Amino acid sequence: MSDWSLWLSVLLLVPVLGGAVYSCLCLGAALVLVRRPRVAALERWPPVSILKPLHGLEKDLAANLRSACTLDYPDYQVVLSLQRLDDPALPLARAIAKEFGPERVTVAVEDSQPVVNGKIQNLVIGFKVACHDVIVISDSDVRLRPDYLKTIVAPLADQAVGGVCTLYRATRAETWFEQLELLTLNGDFTPNLVFAEVTGAADFCLGATTAVRRSVLEAIGGLGALADYLVEDYEMGRRIRAAGFKMAIVPYFVDMMVDLKRPADWWKHQVYWDQNTRAARPIGFLATALTRSVPFAALLALVRLFDPFSLAVLAAAVLVRVITSAIILRILVEDREGLHALWLLPFRDLSGLVSWGLALGKKTFIWRGIEFGLLPDGRIVPRAFGDQRALPLGTPPGA
């Protein structure tokens, strides 16, 4: 073996070993989190407004919306918000409102010009008709269980807590590329979050399911102040902490429906997830290169022309990754789908290194068919709206 290949082998072994150690640390963090007790039930539950931003007819949307209307909670309002009068989800939203009545469901829709972050635009529309001081944000692709609202609201009884979020797990993966998406969330993203939460290595806020008091939203500038950020949930959490409040992470999982039509959708979303991580924590994103054991073990095998040593290292890397992931999926995430799809995990990890590399320099992304530019500070700007241009949040249609 030449000197250059020897030194390259040593360099490649660093992330292989680092990734194996990190997988074990994530498993340890999962064992700690699964034993963490939830906040006790409150004597008096505050009324709550749940904001559900809608955009199009997603997989299982009707069931997802109905799950928000049948929660075990004494007094709450569900707000279904849309930003287009021709949105195909609008008739369903109105049907759900009719089914459960105005005392439970409110539909808020405005035919408004696009702003940079479409989710925030929807939330601002819904917030206008929210009746209560406790606001819960729940994405349209999230399925809720009856005990969800009590679980996420309880920590707000501590006035030092400004925001609460739960974890989420992907489910309903029906194709091989949807299974890859599921593994990205349940087998990679979630263990990273759990490690960050247990060790305090990084702060985060998960916008798919978040609870916050109205007064805290006002203290951080309102929802509209988040409109030009790619990772609006991370920015919300950052601002909540900057305002002197704590973020509480509840060891509770809601279900998020995987809804991809083509393999290209999975790949675009994979790169998009990495761009989110880069925008939120650029240094941490770079450091994740040292935790990718399987792809670097594969590169090591390639450099060494698949000699016995490199093949043994590759086999060990895959074994550690699969075993630790299987335990986390079983005891923490309770994800049977992910367990059945674990044979795809090495391929997901290999593709993950490629998407990581692309996200390093990619300055645009596509969301809901619209292209955006990504600035170094995590803010986004519109690049192609057809005949429309992004307007400041709150600009009336036709202005």
Side-chain angles (χ1 to χ4, degrees):
M1 178 181 293
S2 63
D3 289 343
W4 74 267
S5 59
L6 178 61
W7 281 108
L8 185 56
S9 296
V10 172
L11 288 175
L12 290 173
L13 278 172
V14 173
V16 172
L17 295 174
V21 171
Y22 181 69
S23 292
C24 295
L25 291 175
C26 286
L27 174 57
L31 293 173
V32 171
L33 189 68
V34 78
R35 291 174 172 80
R36 182 179 294 179
R38 297 184 194 172
V39 176
L42 306 182
E43 293 183 2
R44 181 176 179 275
W45 295 100
V48 174
S49 291
I50 301 177
L51 304 185
K52 279 272 188 185
L54 308 184
H55 188 290
L57 289 172
E58 300 169 313
K59 179 192 291 185
D60 296 340
L61 181 60
N64 295 343
L65 299 184
R66 288 192 177 94
S67 74
C69 301
T70 56
L71 302 176
D72 178 20
Y73 200 87
D75 185 10
Y76 74 99
Q77 168 199 27
V78 178
V79 179
L80 309 179
S81 60
L82 307 95
Q83 57 186 270
R84 288 289 181 271
L85 293 174
D86 60 354
D87 193 304
L90 181 55
L92 174 60
R94 287 173 170 162
I96 294 292
K98 182 177 181 180
E99 178 181 348
F100 290 95
E103 67 281 357
R104 172 69 74 225
V105 180
T106 303
V107 177
V109 56
E110 294 181 8
D111 197 18
S112 52
Q113 295 283 355
V115 296
V116 176
N117 189 310
K119 175 181 174 178
I120 291 297
Q121 181 175 358
N122 260 348
L123 290 175
V124 169
I125 292 170
F127 186 76
K128 294 176 183 178
V129 299
C131 300
H132 303 305
D133 287 334
V134 175
I135 306 296
V136 170
I137 297 169
S138 171
D139 283 354
S140 56
D141 57 357
V142 168
R143 181 82 53 86
L144 304 177
R145 298 193 298 280
D147 63 341
Y148 162 77
L149 204 49
K150 288 183 177 179
T151 300
I152 197 170
V153 167
L156 288 177
D158 181 355
Q159 294 300 306
V161 174
V164 187
C165 59
T166 74
L167 301 169
Y168 54 82
R169 60 180 167 232
T171 188
R172 293 276 281 119
E174 299 172 340
T175 62
W176 65 266
F177 50 88
E178 287 188 331
Q179 289 177 327
L180 288 171
E181 176 82 354
L182 181 145
L183 289 172
T184 295
L185 291 173
N186 298 358
D188 194 64
F189 182 66
T190 293
N192 290 341
L193 290 180
V194 170
F195 177 80
E197 165 61 16
V198 171
T199 64
D203 296 325
F204 62 91
C205 173
L206 299 177
T209 166
T210 309
V212 62
R213 288 188 295 273
R214 186 183 294 263
S215 59
V216 174
L217 278 179
E218 293 172 352
I220 65 172
L223 288 167
L226 309 173
D228 59 349
Y229 285 90
L230 173 62
V231 195
E232 80 289 331
D233 48 1
Y234 178 84
E235 179 65 16
M236 176 188 287
R238 188 194 68 78
R239 292 185 180 214
I240 288 173
R241 294 183 182 91
F245 298 97
K246 296 185 294 184
M247 282 294 305
I249 312 299
V250 181
Y252 175 96
F253 283 86
V254 298
D255 291 332
M256 176 179 288
M257 306 300 114
V258 180
D259 186 13
L260 301 174
K261 302 298 187 293
R262 304 167 302 162
D265 296 334
W266 158 71
W267 180 245
K268 290 176 182 177
H269 206 213
Q270 179 97 353
V271 177
Y272 173 76
W273 272 106
D274 283 331
Q275 287 181 287
N276 271 260
T277 306
R278 192 197 82 191
R281 297 185 297 109
I283 296 177
F285 177 70
L286 289 173
T288 61
L290 299 177
T291 66
R292 300 174 184 270
S293 58
V294 172
F296 280 103
L299 287 174
L300 176 68
L302 183 62
V303 167
R304 297 177 65 96
L305 301 178
F306 303 97
D307 67 357
F309 172 77
S310 64
L311 289 177
V313 170
L314 177 58
V318 171
L319 193 62
V320 170
R321 175 75 166 120
V322 170
I323 289 176
T324 55
S325 296
I327 297 173
I328 292 172
L329 291 173
R330 176 67 181 86
I331 67 170
L332 178 67
V333 187
E334 298 180 354
D335 174 26
R336 292 184 179 180
E337 287 185 71
L339 289 172
H340 292 153
L342 268 178
W343 64 276
L344 285 169
L345 186 60
F347 176 73
R348 194 234 71 89
D349 285 355
L350 289 170
S351 66
L353 182 60
V354 177
S355 64
W356 177 88
L358 290 175
L360 276 176
K362 191 171 175 58
K363 298 180 180 179
T364 64
F365 68 95
I366 295 176
W367 186 86
R368 305 289 192 184
I370 299 173
E371 185 181 22
F372 296 91
L374 179 58
L375 301 179
D377 61 356
R379 291 183 298 115
I380 50 181
V381 292
R383 292 175 62 86
F385 281 87
D387 294 330
Q388 303 181 73
R389 299 299 299 170
L391 298 175
L393 199 58
T395 302

